[in-house]
Amino acid sequence: MSGPLVLGIETSCDETGVAVIEGLSTRSSVLGSQVDLHARFGGVVPEVAARAHIEAIRPLTHQAITEAGIHPDDIDAVAVTQGPGLIGPLMVGYSFAKSFAYALGKPLYGVDHMEGHLNAPRLSFDGYEPPAIVILASGGHSQIVHVKAWGDYEVLGGTIDDAAGEAFDKLARFMGLGFPGGPAIDRDSEGGDPSAIQFPRALRNRPYDFSFSGLKTSVVTYLEKARDAGELPARSDVSASIQEAIVDVLVDKTFNAVEATGVEVVGGGGGVLSNRRLRERLGEEADKRGVGLFIPEPALCTDNGAMIASVAVRRILDGVPGDEIIGDVDPGLRLGV
Ligand code: KG4
Ligand code: ZN
């Protein structure tokens, strides 16, 4: 056996993720996406999400265990997202995981969702080791984290208003592109000119912080004026220009941190890291500076159970005991605090 066998459960937002990993090798990882349920509302509705997790968690856990080819008794520990996230959805996964671990007589590890994202590249790459600078960008969070050692995180900066994914989602909704907005803008920008419209890049004077609310206002104002003047630009140009404005800022701030700390390992996580232009630009900058870039495949960038299990694997190998009672969910959990 190549390490502890851990069942990981993630329900902090709108994806029910369940995975079985052995050491850092993924034996199964299944996802119940709620995108279609929330699409008609244009965003995640917490109550709807919690109910969908309740329906999905048992069959998905069964599926993950079956696909892993194991018996529940083989599991060494259960890991579950404790926070941050939406309280209702978190409570569903947490209560289920607690009961499941109790019934099996196995330890339970409560995991910070963001620490899960920080760890996810380890499931894909060798050589992703601290010290590292990691960019985390999703629908709920945008942060630049200095991973000094596993378990020792300094959040260097983050968004002061909307998260990057939220900006994509809101702008896509305004443009009538549907939900979630990030993938829609990513697709729509194909063939578009990223320099067609110069949307603002905010907070140039703050090296690690982001702000996306000004971009939103600027896009809305620009499109309303263009519509009134009867001079609407090609939609792909608008999408490409919006995407470039968001990507520019994320890339700049990430490499500001790389320069300031001198670290040579860059990682990434969160749904926005699935963005093709962002991945391309991060790759170009990393090559230019000769630093290693560790952005896993999109399925490991978005929320999933394997990343949660991977944090527990590390703790088990470090000899940290799981607790039978580890407190409650914490929707406001913050890395490095
Ligand atoms: O990490 P995630 O699956 O869930 C959380 O928010 O925790 O991230 C979802 C976010 C959404 O805002 C979505 O629009 C964005 O990630 N996203 C993308 C892309 N794929 C997902 N943003 C830009 N480009 C993409 N290809
Ligand atoms: Zn996430």
Side-chain angles (χ1 to χ4, degrees):
M1 188 168 113
S2 61
L5 198 61
V6 178
L7 176 79
I9 294 180
E10 153 62 36
T11 64
S12 66
C13 190
D14 62 339
E15 323 256 23
T16 318
V18 188
V20 175
I21 72 172
E22 184 174 12
L24 288 175
S25 143
T26 304
R27 301 211 27 168
S28 66
S29 184
V30 297
L31 203 65
S33 174
Q34 304 176 8
V35 162
D36 295 343
L37 269 183
H38 300 289
R40 68 198 146 112
F41 302 110
V44 177
V45 182
E47 176 70 19
V48 173
R51 283 167 185 263
H53 285 304
I54 291 174
E55 283 174 18
I57 190 119
R58 195 167 173 274
L60 285 176
T61 302
H62 181 75
Q63 188 186 342
I65 287 173
T66 308
E67 285 182 13
I70 59 161
H71 186 274
D73 286 336
D74 300 334
I75 292 167
D76 293 307
V78 178
V80 64
T81 305
Q82 197 158 8
L86 303 169
I87 188 160
L90 282 168
M91 282 173 68
V92 176
Y94 195 73
S95 309
F96 181 86
K98 212 166 168 178
S99 313
F100 198 67
Y102 178 73
L104 292 175
K106 307 289 175 165
L108 178 67
Y109 288 82
V111 172
D112 182 321
H113 178 84
M114 303 313 282
E115 191 175 8
H117 279 304
L118 287 179
N119 263 260
R122 300 178 71 216
L123 293 159
S124 283
F125 304 104
D126 292 327
Y128 172 67
E129 291 296 335
I133 292 297
V134 186
I135 165 91
L136 299 177
S138 70
H141 302 273
S142 296
Q143 292 180 329
I144 305 243
V145 184
H146 183 188
V147 179
K148 297 177 175 172
W150 294 125
D152 184 1
Y153 312 118
E154 184 186 0
V155 177
L156 297 176
T159 184
I160 61 163
D161 41 51
D162 291 350
E166 201 179 350
F168 272 114
D169 293 339
K170 287 180 177 171
L171 285 164
R173 184 164 50 188
F174 178 72
M175 291 170 68
L177 295 177
F179 173 84
I185 290 184
D186 192 341
R187 275 192 306 273
D188 204 55
S189 65
E190 219 162 308
D193 175 4
S195 60
I197 310 153
Q198 277 303 305
F199 291 124
R201 275 70 167 158
L203 298 186
R204 286 283 194 200
N205 56 340
R206 285 167 64 168
Y208 315 123
D209 289 326
F210 317 110
S211 163
F212 295 110
S213 62
L215 171 66
K216 210 173 51 198
T217 313
S218 159
V219 172
V220 171
T221 312
Y222 175 88
L223 287 178
E224 281 173 354
K225 271 195 192 150
R227 197 171 296 149
D228 291 348
E231 291 169 358
L232 270 181
R235 208 179 67 185
S236 61
D237 284 349
V238 180
S239 287
S241 300
I242 290 173
Q243 180 171 269
E244 200 68 6
I246 298 176
V247 166
D248 253 357
V249 176
L250 296 176
V251 173
D252 272 8
K253 309 280 169 153
T254 304
F255 284 93
N256 282 346
V258 169
E259 260 163 34
T261 56
V263 309
E264 295 184 345
V265 170
V266 177
V272 176
L273 274 292
S274 310
N275 184 273
R276 289 175 297 172
R277 181 70 179 145
L278 176 59
R279 295 170 77 96
E280 180 182 48
R281 291 278 313 281
L282 287 170
E284 287 167 7
E285 287 300 319
D287 284 351
K288 212 188 287 175
R289 295 155 206 259
V291 301
L293 182 68
F294 300 88
I295 314 283
E297 60 271 28
L300 275 174
C301 288
T302 51
D303 294 349
N304 64 88
M307 69 181 195
I308 301 304
S310 73
V311 175
V313 164
R314 208 196 59 236
R315 291 207 204 129
I316 294 167
L317 294 176
D318 285 348
V320 179
D323 295 313
E324 272 182 46
I325 297 167
I326 51 170
D328 208 344
V329 296
D330 184 353
L333 200 61
R334 279 166 58 207
L335 262 187
V337 176

